[in-house]
Structures are given as structure tokens and as C-alpha cells.
Coordinates of all heavy atoms in Angstrom, one line a residue:
M1 N -14.2 4.9 10.8 CA -13.5 4.2 9.7 C -14.3 4.2 8.5 O -15.5 3.9 8.5 CB -13.1 2.8 10.1 CG -12.4 2.0 9.0 SD -11.6 0.5 9.6 CE -12.9 -0.6 10.0
K2 N -13.7 4.7 7.4 CA -14.4 4.6 6.1 C -14.5 3.2 5.5 O -14.0 2.3 6.1 CB -13.6 5.5 5.1 CG -13.7 7.0 5.2 CD -13.0 7.6 4.1 CE -13.5 9.1 4.0 NZ -13.0 9.8 2.8
G3 N -15.2 3.1 4.4 CA -15.4 1.8 3.8 C -14.1 1.2 3.4 O -13.1 1.9 3.4
T4 N -14.0 -0.1 3.2 CA -12.7 -0.8 3.0 C -12.5 -1.1 1.5 O -11.6 -1.8 1.2 CB -12.6 -2.0 3.9 OG1 -13.7 -2.8 3.6 CG2 -12.5 -1.7 5.3
Y5 N -13.4 -0.6 0.6 CA -13.1 -0.8 -0.8 C -11.8 -0.3 -1.2 O -11.4 0.8 -0.8 CB -14.3 -0.3 -1.6 CG -13.9 -0.3 -3.1 CD1 -14.2 -1.5 -3.8 CD2 -13.4 0.7 -3.8 CE1 -13.8 -1.6 -5.1 CE2 -13.1 0.6 -5.1 CZ -13.2 -0.5 -5.8 OH -13.0 -0.6 -7.2
L6 N -11.0 -1.0 -2.0 CA -9.7 -0.6 -2.4 C -9.7 -0.4 -3.9 O -10.0 -1.3 -4.7 CB -8.6 -1.6 -2.0 CG -8.2 -1.7 -0.5 CD1 -7.2 -2.9 -0.4 CD2 -7.8 -0.4 0.0
G7 N -9.1 0.8 -4.3 CA -8.9 0.9 -5.7 C -7.6 0.2 -6.0 O -6.8 -0.1 -5.2
E8 N -7.2 0.2 -7.4 CA -6.1 -0.6 -7.8 C -4.8 0.1 -7.2 O -3.9 -0.6 -6.7 CB -6.0 -0.6 -9.3 CG -4.9 -1.4 -9.9 CD -3.6 -0.6 -10.2 OE1 -3.8 0.6 -10.4 OE2 -2.5 -1.2 -10.5
F9 N -4.7 1.5 -7.3 CA -3.5 2.1 -6.7 C -3.4 2.0 -5.2 O -2.4 1.8 -4.7 CB -3.5 3.6 -7.1 CG -2.2 4.3 -6.9 CD1 -1.1 3.9 -7.6 CD2 -2.1 5.3 -5.9 CE1 0.2 4.5 -7.3 CE2 -0.9 5.9 -5.6 CZ 0.3 5.5 -6.3
E10 N -4.5 2.1 -4.5 CA -4.5 1.9 -3.1 C -4.0 0.5 -2.7 O -3.2 0.3 -1.7 CB -5.9 2.1 -2.4 CG -6.3 3.5 -2.5 CD -7.7 3.7 -2.0 OE1 -8.5 2.7 -2.1 OE2 -8.1 4.8 -1.5
E11 N -4.4 -0.5 -3.4 CA -3.9 -1.9 -3.2 C -2.4 -1.9 -3.5 O -1.7 -2.6 -2.6 CB -4.6 -2.9 -4.2 CG -4.2 -4.3 -4.0 CD -4.8 -5.2 -5.0 OE1 -5.8 -4.8 -5.8 OE2 -4.3 -6.3 -5.2
V12 N -1.9 -1.3 -4.5 CA -0.4 -1.3 -4.8 C 0.2 -0.6 -3.6 O 1.3 -1.1 -3.2 CB -0.3 -0.7 -6.1 CG1 1.3 -0.4 -6.3 CG2 -0.7 -1.5 -7.2
V13 N -0.2 0.5 -3.1 CA 0.4 1.2 -2.1 C 0.4 0.4 -0.8 O 1.4 0.2 0.0 CB -0.3 2.6 -1.8 CG1 0.3 3.2 -0.5 CG2 0.0 3.5 -3.0
L14 N -0.7 -0.3 -0.5 CA -0.9 -1.2 0.7 C 0.2 -2.3 0.6 O 0.8 -2.7 1.6 CB -2.3 -1.6 0.9 CG -2.7 -2.3 2.2 CD1 -2.5 -1.4 3.4 CD2 -4.1 -2.7 2.1
L15 N 0.2 -2.9 -0.6 CA 1.2 -4.0 -0.7 C 2.7 -3.5 -0.5 O 3.5 -4.2 0.1 CB 1.1 -4.6 -2.1 CG -0.1 -5.5 -2.3 CD1 -0.3 -5.8 -3.8 CD2 0.1 -6.8 -1.5
A16 N 3.0 -2.3 -1.0 CA 4.3 -1.8 -0.9 C 4.6 -1.5 0.6 O 5.7 -1.8 1.1 CB 4.5 -0.5 -1.7
V17 N 3.7 -1.0 1.4 CA 3.9 -0.8 2.8 C 4.1 -2.2 3.5 O 5.0 -2.3 4.3 CB 2.6 -0.1 3.5 CG1 2.8 -0.1 5.0 CG2 2.5 1.3 2.9
A18 N 3.4 -3.2 3.1 CA 3.6 -4.6 3.7 C 5.0 -5.1 3.4 O 5.6 -5.6 4.2 CB 2.5 -5.5 3.1
I19 N 5.4 -4.9 2.1 CA 6.8 -5.3 1.7 C 7.9 -4.7 2.5 O 8.8 -5.3 2.9 CB 6.9 -5.1 0.2 CG1 6.1 -6.0 -0.6 CG2 8.4 -5.3 -0.2 CD1 6.0 -5.7 -2.2
L20 N 7.7 -3.4 2.8 CA 8.8 -2.6 3.4 C 8.8 -2.9 5.0 O 9.7 -2.5 5.6 CB 8.6 -1.1 3.1 CG 8.9 -0.8 1.6 CD1 8.4 0.6 1.3 CD2 10.3 -0.9 1.4
A21 N 7.8 -3.5 5.5 CA 7.7 -3.9 6.9 C 8.4 -3.1 7.9 O 9.5 -3.4 8.4 CB 8.2 -5.4 6.9
G22 N 7.9 -1.9 8.2 CA 8.4 -1.1 9.2 C 9.3 0.1 8.8 O 9.6 0.9 9.5
D23 N 9.7 0.0 7.5 CA 10.5 1.1 6.9 C 9.8 1.8 5.8 O 10.4 2.2 4.8 CB 11.9 0.5 6.5 CG 12.9 1.6 6.2 OD1 12.9 2.6 6.9 OD2 13.7 1.4 5.3
A24 N 8.5 1.8 5.9 CA 7.7 2.4 4.8 C 7.4 3.9 5.1 O 6.7 4.2 6.1 CB 6.4 1.7 4.7
Y25 N 7.9 4.8 4.3 CA 7.5 6.2 4.3 C 7.4 6.7 2.9 O 7.7 5.9 2.0 CB 8.6 7.0 5.1 CG 10.0 6.9 4.5 CD1 10.5 7.9 3.6 CD2 10.9 5.8 5.0 CE1 11.8 7.7 3.2 CE2 12.1 5.7 4.4 CZ 12.6 6.6 3.6 OH 13.9 6.5 3.1
G26 N 7.0 7.8 2.6 CA 6.6 8.3 1.3 C 7.6 7.9 0.2 O 7.2 7.3 -0.8
A27 N 8.9 8.3 0.4 CA 9.8 8.1 -0.7 C 10.2 6.6 -0.9 O 10.3 6.2 -2.0 CB 11.1 8.9 -0.3
S28 N 10.3 5.9 0.2 CA 10.5 4.4 0.1 C 9.4 3.6 -0.5 O 9.6 2.7 -1.3 CB 10.9 3.8 1.5 OG 9.8 3.8 2.4
I29 N 8.2 4.1 -0.2 CA 7.0 3.4 -0.9 C 7.0 3.7 -2.3 O 6.8 2.8 -3.2 CB 5.6 3.9 -0.2 CG1 5.7 3.5 1.3 CG2 4.5 3.4 -0.9 CD1 4.7 4.2 2.2
T30 N 7.3 5.0 -2.7 CA 7.3 5.4 -4.2 C 8.4 4.5 -4.9 O 8.1 4.0 -5.9 CB 7.7 6.9 -4.3 OG1 6.6 7.6 -3.7 CG2 7.6 7.3 -5.7
S31 N 9.6 4.4 -4.3 CA 10.6 3.7 -4.9 C 10.3 2.2 -5.0 O 10.6 1.5 -6.0 CB 12.0 3.8 -4.0 OG 12.5 5.0 -4.1
E32 N 9.7 1.6 -4.0 CA 9.3 0.2 -4.0 C 8.3 0.0 -5.1 O 8.4 -1.0 -5.9 CB 8.7 -0.3 -2.7 CG 8.3 -1.7 -2.6 CD 9.6 -2.6 -2.6 OE1 10.7 -2.2 -2.1 OE2 9.5 -3.8 -3.1
I33 N 7.4 0.8 -5.3 CA 6.4 0.6 -6.3 C 7.0 0.7 -7.7 O 6.7 -0.1 -8.7 CB 5.2 1.7 -6.2 CG1 4.4 1.4 -5.0 CG2 4.3 1.6 -7.5 CD1 3.4 2.5 -4.7
E34 N 7.9 1.7 -7.8 CA 8.6 1.9 -9.2 C 9.5 0.7 -9.5 O 9.5 0.2 -10.6 CB 9.4 3.2 -9.2 CG 8.5 4.4 -9.2 CD 9.3 5.8 -9.1 OE1 10.6 5.7 -8.7 OE2 8.7 6.8 -9.4
Q35 N 10.1 0.1 -8.4 CA 10.9 -1.0 -8.7 C 10.1 -2.2 -9.1 O 10.4 -3.0 -9.9 CB 11.7 -1.3 -7.4 CG 12.8 -2.4 -7.5 CD 13.6 -2.6 -6.2 OE1 13.3 -1.9 -5.2 NE2 14.5 -3.5 -6.2
Q36 N 9.0 -2.4 -8.3 CA 8.2 -3.7 -8.5 C 7.4 -3.6 -9.8 O 7.2 -4.6 -10.4 CB 7.1 -3.8 -7.3 CG 7.8 -4.2 -6.0 CD 8.2 -5.6 -5.9 OE1 7.8 -6.5 -6.6 NE2 9.2 -5.8 -4.9
M37 N 6.9 -2.4 -10.2 CA 6.0 -2.3 -11.3 C 6.7 -1.7 -12.6 O 6.0 -1.8 -13.6 CB 4.8 -1.5 -10.9 CG 4.1 -2.1 -9.8 SD 2.5 -1.4 -9.4 CE 1.5 -1.9 -10.8
G38 N 7.9 -1.2 -12.4 CA 8.5 -0.7 -13.5 C 7.9 0.6 -14.2 O 7.9 0.7 -15.4
R39 N 7.2 1.4 -13.4 CA 6.6 2.5 -13.8 C 6.8 3.6 -12.8 O 7.0 3.5 -11.6 CB 5.1 2.4 -14.0 CG 4.3 2.2 -12.8 CD 2.8 2.0 -13.0 NE 2.0 2.2 -11.9 CZ 0.8 1.8 -11.7 NH1 0.1 1.1 -12.8 NH2 0.1 2.1 -10.6
S40 N 6.8 4.9 -13.3 CA 7.0 6.1 -12.4 C 5.8 6.3 -11.6 O 4.7 6.1 -12.1 CB 7.5 7.3 -13.2 OG 6.5 7.7 -14.0
V41 N 6.0 6.8 -10.4 CA 4.8 7.1 -9.5 C 5.1 8.5 -8.9 O 6.2 8.9 -8.5 CB 4.8 6.0 -8.4 CG1 3.7 6.4 -7.4 CG2 4.6 4.7 -9.0
N42 N 4.0 9.2 -8.9 CA 4.1 10.6 -8.3 C 3.9 10.5 -6.8 O 3.0 9.9 -6.2 CB 2.8 11.4 -8.8 CG 2.7 12.8 -8.4 OD1 2.6 13.0 -7.1 ND2 2.9 13.7 -9.3
L43 N 4.9 11.1 -6.1 CA 4.9 11.0 -4.6 C 3.7 11.7 -4.0 O 3.1 11.1 -2.9 CB 6.2 11.9 -4.2 CG 6.4 11.9 -2.6 CD1 6.5 10.5 -2.0 CD2 7.6 12.7 -2.2
G44 N 3.1 12.7 -4.6 CA 1.8 13.3 -4.1 C 0.7 12.3 -4.2 O -0.2 12.2 -3.2
A45 N 0.6 11.5 -5.2 CA -0.4 10.5 -5.3 C -0.3 9.4 -4.3 O -1.2 8.9 -3.8 CB -0.4 9.8 -6.8
V46 N 1.0 9.0 -4.0 CA 1.2 8.0 -2.8 C 0.8 8.6 -1.5 O 0.1 7.9 -0.8 CB 2.7 7.7 -2.8 CG1 3.1 6.9 -1.6 CG2 3.2 6.9 -4.1
H47 N 1.1 9.9 -1.3 CA 0.6 10.4 0.0 C -0.8 10.6 0.1 O -1.4 10.3 1.1 CB 1.3 11.9 0.2 CG 2.7 11.8 0.7 ND1 3.0 11.5 2.0 CD2 3.8 12.1 0.1 CE1 4.3 11.6 2.1 NE2 4.8 12.0 1.0
A48 N -1.5 10.8 -1.0 CA -3.0 10.8 -1.0 C -3.5 9.5 -0.8 O -4.4 9.3 0.0 CB -3.5 11.4 -2.3
A49 N -3.0 8.4 -1.3 CA -3.4 7.1 -1.1 C -3.1 6.7 0.3 O -4.0 6.0 1.0 CB -2.7 6.1 -2.1
L50 N -2.0 7.1 0.9 CA -1.7 6.7 2.3 C -2.7 7.4 3.2 O -3.1 6.7 4.2 CB -0.2 7.2 2.6 CG 0.9 6.5 2.0 CD1 2.2 7.2 2.3 CD2 1.0 5.1 2.5
H51 N -3.1 8.5 3.0 CA -4.1 9.3 3.8 C -5.4 8.5 3.7 O -6.0 8.3 4.8 CB -4.2 10.7 3.3 CG -5.2 11.5 4.1 ND1 -4.9 11.9 5.4 CD2 -6.4 11.9 3.8 CE1 -6.0 12.6 5.9 NE2 -6.9 12.6 4.9
R52 N -5.9 8.2 2.5 CA -7.1 7.4 2.4 C -7.0 6.1 3.1 O -8.0 5.7 3.8 CB -7.5 7.2 0.9 CG -7.9 8.4 0.2 CD -8.5 8.1 -1.2 NE -7.6 7.3 -2.0 CZ -6.7 7.8 -2.9 NH1 -6.5 9.1 -2.9 NH2 -6.1 7.0 -3.6
L53 N -5.9 5.3 2.9 CA -5.8 4.0 3.6 C -5.8 4.2 5.1 O -6.3 3.3 5.8 CB -4.5 3.4 3.1 CG -4.6 2.9 1.6 CD1 -3.1 2.6 1.1 CD2 -5.5 1.7 1.5
E54 N -5.2 5.2 5.6 CA -5.2 5.4 7.1 C -6.6 5.8 7.6 O -7.0 5.3 8.6 CB -4.2 6.5 7.4 CG -3.8 6.5 8.9 CD -2.6 7.4 9.2 OE1 -2.2 8.3 8.4 OE2 -2.0 7.1 10.3
E55 N -7.4 6.5 6.8 CA -8.7 6.9 7.2 C -9.6 5.6 7.2 O -10.5 5.5 8.0 CB -9.3 7.9 6.2 CG -8.9 9.3 6.4 CD -9.7 10.3 5.5 OE1 -10.2 9.8 4.4 OE2 -9.7 11.5 5.8
K56 N -9.3 4.7 6.3 CA -10.1 3.4 6.3 C -9.6 2.5 7.3 O -10.2 1.4 7.4 CB -9.8 2.7 4.9 CG -10.5 3.5 3.7 CD -10.2 2.8 2.4 CE -10.9 3.7 1.2 NZ -10.6 3.0 -0.1
G57 N -8.6 2.8 8.1 CA -8.1 1.9 9.2 C -7.3 0.8 8.6 O -7.0 -0.2 9.4
L58 N -6.7 0.9 7.4 CA -5.9 -0.2 6.9 C -4.5 0.0 7.1 O -3.6 -0.9 7.0 CB -6.2 -0.3 5.3 CG -7.8 -0.6 5.1 CD1 -7.9 -0.7 3.5 CD2 -8.2 -1.9 5.7
L59 N -4.1 1.2 7.4 CA -2.7 1.6 7.8 C -2.7 2.5 9.1 O -3.7 3.1 9.4 CB -2.1 2.6 6.7 CG -1.8 1.9 5.4 CD1 -1.2 3.0 4.4 CD2 -0.7 0.8 5.5
S60 N -1.6 2.3 9.8 CA -1.4 3.2 10.9 C -0.1 3.9 10.7 O 0.8 3.5 9.9 CB -1.4 2.5 12.3 OG -0.4 1.5 12.3
S61 N 0.2 5.0 11.4 CA 1.5 5.7 11.2 C 2.0 6.3 12.5 O 1.3 6.5 13.4 CB 1.2 6.9 10.1 OG 0.4 7.9 10.7
R62 N 3.3 6.5 12.4 CA 4.0 7.2 13.6 C 5.1 8.1 13.0 O 5.6 7.9 11.9 CB 4.6 6.2 14.4 CG 5.7 5.3 13.8 CD 6.4 4.4 14.8 NE 7.3 3.6 14.0 CZ 8.5 4.0 13.5 NH1 8.9 5.2 13.6 NH2 9.3 3.1 12.8
L63 N 5.4 9.1 13.7 CA 6.5 10.0 13.3 C 7.8 9.5 13.8 O 7.9 9.1 14.9 CB 6.2 11.4 13.8 CG 5.3 12.3 13.1 CD1 5.1 13.6 13.8 CD2 5.7 12.5 11.6
G64 N 8.8 9.4 13.0 CA 10.2 9.1 13.3 C 10.8 10.3 13.8 O 10.3 11.3 13.9
G65 N 12.1 10.1 14.3 CA 12.9 11.2 14.7 C 13.3 12.2 13.6 O 13.4 11.8 12.5
A66 N 13.4 13.5 14.0 CA 13.9 14.4 13.1 C 15.4 14.3 12.8 O 16.1 13.8 13.6 CB 13.7 15.9 13.6
T67 N 15.7 14.5 11.5 CA 17.2 14.4 11.1 C 17.7 15.7 10.4 O 16.9 16.3 9.8 CB 17.3 13.2 10.1 OG1 16.6 13.5 9.0 CG2 16.8 11.8 10.7
A68 N 18.9 15.9 10.5 CA 19.5 17.0 10.0 C 19.4 16.8 8.4 O 19.3 17.9 7.7 CB 21.0 17.1 10.4
E69 N 19.6 15.6 7.9 CA 19.5 15.3 6.5 C 18.2 15.8 5.9 O 18.1 16.2 4.7 CB 19.6 13.7 6.3 CG 19.5 13.3 4.9 CD 19.4 11.8 4.8 OE1 18.8 11.2 5.7 OE2 20.1 11.2 3.9
R70 N 17.1 15.8 6.7 CA 15.8 16.3 6.2 C 15.5 17.7 6.7 O 14.3 18.1 6.7 CB 14.7 15.3 6.6 CG 14.9 13.9 6.0 CD 13.8 13.0 6.5 NE 12.5 13.5 6.5 CZ 11.6 13.6 5.6 NH1 12.0 13.1 4.4 NH2 10.4 14.1 5.7
G71 N 16.5 18.4 7.1 CA 16.3 19.8 7.6 C 15.5 19.9 8.9 O 14.8 20.8 9.1
G72 N 15.7 18.9 9.7 CA 15.1 18.9 11.0 C 13.6 18.3 11.0 O 12.9 18.3 12.0
R73 N 13.2 17.8 9.8 CA 11.8 17.3 9.7 C 11.8 15.8 9.9 O 12.8 15.1 9.8 CB 11.2 17.5 8.3 CG 11.0 19.0 8.0 CD 10.6 19.2 6.5 NE 11.7 18.7 5.7 CZ 11.4 18.2 4.5 NH1 10.1 18.1 4.0 NH2 12.3 17.8 3.8
S74 N 10.7 15.3 10.4 CA 10.5 13.9 10.7 C 9.9 13.2 9.6 O 9.2 13.8 8.8 CB 9.6 13.7 11.9 OG 10.1 14.4 13.0
K75 N 10.2 11.9 9.5 CA 9.5 11.0 8.5 C 8.4 10.4 9.2 O 8.3 10.2 10.3 CB 10.4 9.9 8.0 CG 11.6 10.2 7.2 CD 12.5 9.1 6.8 CE 13.6 9.4 6.1 NZ 14.6 8.2 5.9
R76 N 7.2 10.2 8.3 CA 6.1 9.5 8.9 C 6.2 8.1 8.4 O 6.1 7.8 7.1 CB 4.7 10.2 8.5 CG 3.5 9.4 8.9 CD 2.3 10.2 8.8 NE 2.3 11.4 9.6 CZ 1.9 11.5 10.9 NH1 1.6 10.4 11.5 NH2 2.0 12.7 11.5
F77 N 6.2 7.1 9.3 CA 6.4 5.7 8.9 C 5.0 5.0 9.0 O 4.2 5.4 9.9 CB 7.3 5.0 9.8 CG 8.8 5.4 9.6 CD1 9.3 6.4 10.4 CD2 9.6 4.8 8.7 CE1 10.7 6.9 10.2 CE2 10.9 5.1 8.5 CZ 11.4 6.1 9.3
F78 N 4.7 4.2 8.0 CA 3.4 3.5 8.0 C 3.6 2.0 8.1 O 4.5 1.4 7.7 CB 2.8 3.8 6.6 CG 2.4 5.2 6.3 CD1 3.3 6.1 5.9 CD2 1.1 5.7 6.7 CE1 3.0 7.5 5.6 CE2 0.8 7.0 6.6 CZ 1.8 7.9 6.0
T79 N 2.6 1.4 8.8 CA 2.5 0.0 8.9 C 1.1 -0.5 8.7 O 0.1 0.2 8.8 CB 2.9 -0.5 10.4 OG1 2.0 0.2 11.3 CG2 4.3 -0.2 10.7
V80 N 1.0 -1.7 8.1 CA -0.3 -2.3 7.8 C -1.0 -2.8 9.1 O -0.5 -3.4 9.9 CB -0.2 -3.5 6.8 CG1 -1.5 -4.1 6.5 CG2 0.6 -3.0 5.6
T81 N -2.3 -2.4 9.3 CA -3.0 -2.8 10.5 C -3.6 -4.3 10.2 O -3.4 -4.8 9.1 CB -4.2 -1.9 10.7 OG1 -5.1 -2.0 9.6 CG2 -3.7 -0.4 11.0
M82 N -4.2 -4.8 11.3 CA -4.8 -6.1 11.1 C -5.9 -6.1 10.1 O -6.1 -7.0 9.3 CB -5.4 -6.6 12.4 CG -4.3 -7.0 13.5 SD -3.4 -8.4 12.9 CE -4.5 -9.7 12.9
A83 N -6.7 -5.0 10.1 CA -7.7 -4.8 9.0 C -7.1 -4.7 7.7 O -7.6 -5.2 6.7 CB -8.6 -3.6 9.3
G84 N -6.0 -4.0 7.6 CA -5.3 -4.0 6.3 C -4.8 -5.4 5.7 O -4.9 -5.7 4.6
T85 N -4.2 -6.2 6.7 CA -3.8 -7.5 6.3 C -5.0 -8.4 5.9 O -4.9 -9.1 4.9 CB -3.1 -8.1 7.6 OG1 -2.0 -7.4 7.9 CG2 -2.7 -9.5 7.3
K86 N -6.1 -8.2 6.6 CA -7.3 -9.0 6.2 C -7.8 -8.5 4.8 O -8.2 -9.4 4.0 CB -8.5 -8.7 7.2 CG -9.6 -9.5 7.1 CD -10.6 -9.3 8.2 CE -11.9 -10.1 8.1 NZ -12.8 -10.0 9.1
A87 N -7.8 -7.2 4.5 CA -8.2 -6.7 3.2 C -7.3 -7.2 2.2 O -7.8 -7.7 1.1 CB -8.1 -5.1 3.2
L88 N -6.0 -7.3 2.4 CA -5.1 -7.9 1.3 C -5.3 -9.4 1.2 O -5.2 -9.8 0.0 CB -3.6 -7.6 1.7 CG -3.1 -6.2 1.6 CD1 -1.7 -6.1 2.2 CD2 -3.1 -5.8 0.1
D89 N -5.5 -10.1 2.2 CA -5.8 -11.5 2.1 C -7.1 -11.7 1.3 O -7.2 -12.7 0.5 CB -5.9 -12.2 3.5 CG -4.6 -12.3 4.2 OD1 -3.6 -12.2 3.6 OD2 -4.7 -12.5 5.5
N90 N -8.1 -10.9 1.6 CA -9.4 -11.1 0.8 C -9.2 -10.8 -0.6 O -9.8 -11.5 -1.5 CB -10.4 -10.1 1.5 CG -11.8 -10.3 1.0 OD1 -12.2 -11.4 0.7 ND2 -12.5 -9.2 0.7
I91 N -8.4 -9.8 -1.0 CA -8.2 -9.4 -2.3 C -7.4 -10.6 -3.1 O -7.8 -11.0 -4.2 CB -7.4 -8.1 -2.5 CG1 -8.3 -6.9 -2.1 CG2 -6.9 -7.9 -3.9 CD1 -7.5 -5.6 -1.9
R92 N -6.5 -11.1 -2.4 CA -5.7 -12.2 -3.0 C -6.7 -13.4 -3.3 O -6.6 -14.0 -4.3 CB -4.5 -12.7 -2.2 CG -3.8 -13.8 -2.7 CD -2.5 -14.1 -2.1 NE -2.6 -14.0 -0.7 CZ -1.5 -14.1 0.2 NH1 -0.3 -14.2 -0.4 NH2 -1.7 -14.1 1.4
E93 N -7.4 -13.7 -2.3 CA -8.4 -14.8 -2.4 C -9.3 -14.7 -3.6 O -9.6 -15.6 -4.4 CB -9.2 -15.0 -1.1 CG -10.1 -16.2 -1.1 CD -10.9 -16.3 0.2 OE1 -10.3 -16.1 1.2 OE2 -12.1 -16.5 0.1
I94 N -9.9 -13.5 -3.7 CA -10.9 -13.2 -4.8 C -10.1 -13.3 -6.2 O -10.6 -13.9 -7.1 CB -11.5 -11.8 -4.6 CG1 -12.4 -11.8 -3.4 CG2 -12.2 -11.3 -5.9 CD1 -12.9 -10.4 -3.0
R95 N -8.9 -12.7 -6.2 CA -8.2 -12.8 -7.5 C -7.8 -14.2 -7.9 O -7.9 -14.6 -9.0 CB -7.0 -11.9 -7.5 CG -7.4 -10.4 -7.5 CD -6.1 -9.5 -7.5 NE -6.6 -8.1 -7.4 CZ -6.3 -7.2 -8.1 NH1 -5.5 -7.4 -9.1 NH2 -6.8 -6.0 -8.0
N96 N -7.3 -14.9 -6.9 CA -6.9 -16.4 -7.2 C -8.1 -17.2 -7.7 O -8.0 -18.0 -8.6 CB -6.3 -17.0 -5.9 CG -4.9 -16.6 -5.6 OD1 -4.3 -15.9 -6.5 ND2 -4.4 -16.7 -4.3
R97 N -9.3 -17.0 -7.0 CA -10.5 -17.6 -7.4 C -10.9 -17.3 -8.8 O -11.3 -18.2 -9.5 CB -11.6 -17.3 -6.4 CG -12.9 -18.2 -6.6 CD -14.0 -17.9 -5.4 NE -14.3 -16.5 -5.2 CZ -14.2 -15.9 -4.1 NH1 -13.8 -16.5 -3.0 NH2 -14.5 -14.6 -4.0
M98 N -10.8 -16.0 -9.2 CA -11.1 -15.6 -10.5 C -10.1 -16.2 -11.6 O -10.6 -16.7 -12.6 CB -11.2 -14.1 -10.6 CG -12.4 -13.5 -9.8 SD -12.5 -11.7 -9.9 CE -13.1 -11.5 -11.6
W99 N -8.8 -16.1 -11.3 CA -7.9 -16.7 -12.1 C -8.1 -18.2 -12.4 O -8.0 -18.7 -13.5 CB -6.4 -16.5 -11.6 CG -5.8 -15.1 -12.0 CD1 -5.7 -14.1 -11.2 CD2 -5.4 -14.7 -13.2 NE1 -5.2 -13.0 -11.9 CE2 -5.0 -13.4 -13.1 CE3 -5.2 -15.4 -14.4 CZ2 -4.4 -12.7 -14.2 CZ3 -4.6 -14.7 -15.5 CH2 -4.2 -13.3 -15.4
N100 N -8.4 -18.8 -11.3 CA -8.7 -20.3 -11.4 C -9.9 -20.6 -12.1 O -10.1 -21.8 -12.6 CB -8.7 -21.0 -9.9 CG -7.4 -20.9 -9.3 OD1 -6.3 -20.9 -10.0 ND2 -7.3 -20.9 -7.9
A101 N -10.9 -19.7 -12.2 CA -12.2 -19.9 -13.0 C -12.0 -19.7 -14.4 O -12.9 -20.1 -15.2 CB -13.2 -18.9 -12.4
I102 N -10.8 -19.2 -14.9 CA -10.7 -19.0 -16.4 C -10.5 -20.4 -17.0 O -9.7 -21.2 -16.6 CB -9.4 -18.2 -16.7 CG1 -9.6 -16.8 -16.1 CG2 -9.1 -18.2 -18.2 CD1 -8.3 -15.9 -16.2
P103 N -11.4 -20.7 -18.0 CA -11.3 -22.0 -18.7 C -9.9 -22.3 -19.3 O -9.4 -21.3 -19.9 CB -12.4 -21.9 -19.8 CG -13.3 -20.8 -19.4 CD -12.4 -19.8 -18.5
K104 N -9.4 -23.4 -19.2 CA -8.1 -23.8 -19.8 C -8.3 -24.0 -21.2 O -9.3 -24.7 -21.7 CB -7.5 -25.0 -19.1 CG -7.4 -24.8 -17.5 CD -6.3 -23.9 -17.2 CE -6.1 -23.9 -15.6 NZ -6.6 -22.6 -15.0
P105 N -7.4 -23.6 -22.1 CA -7.5 -23.9 -23.5 C -7.4 -25.4 -23.7 O -6.6 -26.1 -23.1 CB -6.3 -23.2 -24.1 CG -5.5 -22.5 -23.1 CD -6.2 -22.8 -21.8
A106 N -8.2 -25.9 -24.6 CA -8.2 -27.3 -25.0 C -6.9 -27.8 -25.6 O -6.2 -27.2 -26.3 CB -9.5 -27.7 -25.8

């Protein structure tokens, strides 16, 4: 397993996989990010992030069944691992602590 440091885009992809809860594959993750963030996302960049996150042990994947709609190809579905959940919890805790440390205007 590689290091667990997450870049901003990796964090967004990991969050999208968590939101999709079992129905996360490349196109659905891309759509979720675009919907949540209001910005366009390159499918190739999502696949690259998914590969890195899987190498880090933060995601696992499985192949779904082949469909005629996809020309007989299978979709690869992703789920967040326990290590991925722990990484997301850690990031949220750090960000909340930093937001709470900002001095309030008088």
C-alpha cells in the first residue's frame, strides 16, 4: 500500500465514491462531482485518481456484469475501504479544527 496522503482531487473522488455507495463507476463518479461542485471533470482524470486511491488501499473495486448497452464490456464498481473511511474522517477532523481556529470578527 502506498502512502495515504490525499490531494484535493483525490479527496473529491473519494467523497463521490462514498456518496454513490455501491453504484460508483467512472461515469457516475464524474457526474456526481460535476453535480456537487458545478464544474466539468475529465473522465480520464477520474480514472487516474481511482487507480491511485486503489493503490493506496483507500478504494476497492469489482467488475460488474457485461451489458449489451456497453458493447459487452463490464463496468468497474468502486467502494471505499475501511482505510478510506478513516482517511476521510481524518481529513474532516483536521479541516473542522482549522475552521474553528479562525478568529471570529469582533
Side-chain angles (χ1 to χ4, degrees):
M1 178 165 65
K2 284 189 161 186
T4 56
Y5 172 79
L6 289 178
E8 185 261 347
F9 190 68
E10 289 177 332
E11 179 184 347
V12 167
V13 170
L14 191 57
L15 283 167
V17 172
I19 290 168
L20 291 166
D23 195 32
Y25 56 94
S28 68
I29 295 165
T30 301
S31 294
E32 184 65 30
I33 293 169
E34 289 177 346
Q35 185 178 1
Q36 292 283 341
M37 301 189 72
R39 71 181 197 195
S40 64
V41 177
N42 181 299
L43 181 60
V46 170
H47 278 291
L50 289 168
H51 180 71
R52 289 192 306 271
L53 290 166
E54 198 167 20
E55 279 187 343
K56 292 178 181 181
L58 304 178
L59 290 178
S60 62
S61 68
R62 64 173 173 75
L63 281 177
T67 63
E69 177 185 40
R70 294 177 44 84
R73 294 176 300 147
S74 301
K75 290 179 185 173
R76 180 168 294 279
F77 291 93
F78 294 87
T79 55
V80 179
T81 63
M82 289 299 292
T85 300
K86 188 174 177 180
L88 286 174
D89 288 343
N90 188 40
I91 288 168
R92 179 171 42 191
E93 183 182 317
I94 290 169
R95 289 182 185 231
N96 286 344
R97 189 173 51 235
M98 292 179 75
W99 275 103
N100 291 334
I102 296 173
K104 305 289 185 251

